[in-house]
């Protein structure tokens, strides 16, 4: 019998009821399960070696918090595969892994017996002073501004995840119209790119933010970044694209992009983001590297 460790980010509603419901569903499928709330300390870290796999019940930020502990583990530690019960707003990581966030948790749990292991590369960003990692993407321009604005925006009329994603697109549209273009210089493997942009993203998966697909060709285990940027010439078209997305039109945008395994980036932006976290830019030039096969996720065999 496989041992699962359930790492849950309790949201609105009856936490105790959801906890017991999740544990009951998991054990009904033949697993033993130990539960931890990630909001109540990190005692779960010491229990990882006792588990055959970890279950993250939450959104992209919760997954990042768990993975932060997993990437600290050294080569001698047990490699713990992770599966996701998507309960966030955007669930970009679940989408990248083919995990349908529209299904109920019982359907996800039933699928684990027929799951496969999917390798997942991790992006590492560093300079002389600090090192960090990302799962989704890191970058400059309008997305850091969006994260900053969404912290303060009035969400009193937001009733569900769909409403919040629409609100984020509306805020992003306004930012695109007024954002200052920023100078960038990139060494990507053996190529040099430079110019001015309103968006510059180093993508590890297909989408970030409010489910915006910036790099549809990205794969979780391809060993490269997809670098995406929008320059001043594309500003009006990009704003129009976001407006059409708000109106629920299904269309794509022709981002400028290229692939690279290692990047050196110098950008004048006042802010940057790493996944869904707003940060001050790393001092001096930032170096981005792909670390291959750091993680394994359990995903549906049909994905």
């Amino acid at each position: 019998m496989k041992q699962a460790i359930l790492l849950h980010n309790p949201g609105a509603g009856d936490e105790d009821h959801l906890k017991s419901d999740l544990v009951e569903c998991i054990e009904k499928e033949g697993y033993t399960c130990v539960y931890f709330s990630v909001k109540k300390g990190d005692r779960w870290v010491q229990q990882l070696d006792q588990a055959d796999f970890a279950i993250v019940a939450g959104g992209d930020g919760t997954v990042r918090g768990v993975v932060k502990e997993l990437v600290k583990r050294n080569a001698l530690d047990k490699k713990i595969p992770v599966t996701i019960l998507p309960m966030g707003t955007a669930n970009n990581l679940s989408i990248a892994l083919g995990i349908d966030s529209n299904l109920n948790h019982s359907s996800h749990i039933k699928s684990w017996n027929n799951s496969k292991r999917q390798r997942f590369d991790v992006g590492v960003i560093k300079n002389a002073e600090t090192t960090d990692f990302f799962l989704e993407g890191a970058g400059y321009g309008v997305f850091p501004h969006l994260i900053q604005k969404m912290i303060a925006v009035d969400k009193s009329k937001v009733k569900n995840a769909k409403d919040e994603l629409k609100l984020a697109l509306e805020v992003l549209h306004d930012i695109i119209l007024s954002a200052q273009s920023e100078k960038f210089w990139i060494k990507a493997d053996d190529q040099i790119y430079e110019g001015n942009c309103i968006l510059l993203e180093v993508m590890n998966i297909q989408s970030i933010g409010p489910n915006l697909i910036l790099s549809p060709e990205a794969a979780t285990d391809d060993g490269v970044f997809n670098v995406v940027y929008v320059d001043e010439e594309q500003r009006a078209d990009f704003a129009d694209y976001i407006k059409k997305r708000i109106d629920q039109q299904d269309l794509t945008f022709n981002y400028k992009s290229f692939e690279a395994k290692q990047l050196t980036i110098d950008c004048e932006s006042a802010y940057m983001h790493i996944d869904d976290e707003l940060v001050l830019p790393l001092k001096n030039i930032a170096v981005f590297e792909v670390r291959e096969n750091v993680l394994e996720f359990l995903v549906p065999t049909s994905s």
Side-chain angles (χ1 to χ4, degrees), residues 18 135 269 275 302:
L18 184 55
L135 302 176
S269 179
D275 289 337
S302 58

Side-chain angles (χ1 to χ4, degrees), residues 4-275:
I5 180 169
L6 173 58
L7 307 171
H8 178 217
N9 181 9
D14 187 340
E15 175 187 342
D16 291 335
H17 173 74
L18 184 55
K19 167 187 172 181
S20 60
D21 187 28
L22 289 174
V23 172
E24 181 180 349
C25 284
I26 292 166
E27 293 183 339
K28 185 178 179 181
E29 293 301 316
Y31 307 101
T32 57
C33 180
V34 56
Y35 173 96
F36 291 92
S37 167
V38 295
K39 293 295 187 181
K40 297 180 179 178
D42 60 357
R43 291 188 302 112
W44 58 269
V45 176
Q46 285 70 48
Q47 298 296 315
L48 285 172
D49 281 335
Q50 309 304 315
D52 294 301
F53 67 105
I55 307 156
V56 183
D60 293 331
T62 307
V63 178
R64 175 180 167 82
V66 171
V67 166
K68 189 172 185 177
E69 296 298 332
L70 294 179
V71 298
K72 291 179 182 177
R73 296 161 67 84
N74 63 42
L76 298 179
D77 290 321
K78 181 179 178 181
K79 192 166 188 176
I80 308 295
V82 179
T83 193
I84 302 173
L85 286 176
M87 297 181 180
T89 301
N91 298 309
N92 287 304
L93 289 167
S94 296
I95 293 170
L97 292 164
I99 299 173
D100 187 352
S101 59
N102 293 314
L103 297 177
N104 60 41
H105 60 256
S106 178
S107 297
H108 288 296
I109 294 166
K110 288 179 182 297
S111 74
W112 293 343
N113 281 320
N114 297 314
S115 63
K116 65 178 181 180
R117 293 194 179 199
Q118 175 64 46
R119 295 187 303 173
F120 199 103
D121 302 334
V122 168
V124 174
I125 176 172
K126 60 185 178 180
N127 70 353
E129 297 179 352
T130 187
T131 301
D132 208 335
F133 77 98
F134 57 97
L135 302 176
E136 301 171 55
Y140 311 84
V142 296
F143 273 104
H145 286 290
L146 177 62
I147 293 171
Q148 185 180 38
K149 289 280 189 181
M150 289 300 292
I151 293 170
V153 73
D154 179 11
K155 299 186 181 73
S156 61
K157 295 182 180 180
V158 171
K159 297 179 180 179
N160 51 43
K162 185 177 180 181
D163 287 347
E164 187 165 349
L165 291 175
K166 182 179 179 181
L167 176 61
L169 288 172
E170 291 170 346
V171 174
L172 178 59
H173 178 263
D174 291 343
I175 292 171
I176 292 167
L177 293 176
S178 60
Q180 181 179 348
S181 61
E182 296 160 338
K183 186 177 180 180
F184 71 89
W185 177 92
I186 302 173
K187 181 180 180 183
D189 297 334
D190 296 324
Q191 299 292 319
I192 300 295
Y193 300 83
E194 57 185 325
N196 291 277
C197 65
I198 60 170
L199 175 150
L200 173 59
E201 291 293 333
V202 181
M203 298 294 296
N204 195 44
I205 61 174
Q206 298 99 324
S207 61
I208 60 170
N211 294 150
L212 276 185
I213 299 175
L214 271 62
S215 53
E217 67 279 13
T220 66
D221 59 350
D222 58 4
V224 295
F225 296 124
N226 294 79
V227 183
V228 179
Y229 63 98
V230 176
D231 61 22
E232 184 63 44
E233 294 179 356
Q234 294 178 293
R235 182 193 296 267
D237 289 339
F238 189 41
D240 184 58
Y241 163 71
I242 297 299
K243 182 65 170 65
K244 290 176 179 177
R245 281 292 308 272
I246 294 169
D247 295 335
Q248 299 184 331
Q249 296 184 42
D250 187 15
L251 69 168
T252 59
F253 183 77
N254 186 27
Y255 297 99
K256 296 183 178 180
S257 65
F258 57 88
E259 292 184 348
K261 189 173 182 65
Q262 185 176 67
L263 301 161
T264 302
I265 299 180
D266 188 8
C267 184
E268 293 181 344
S269 179
Y271 293 98
M272 71 177 297
H273 76 93
I274 298 175
D275 289 337

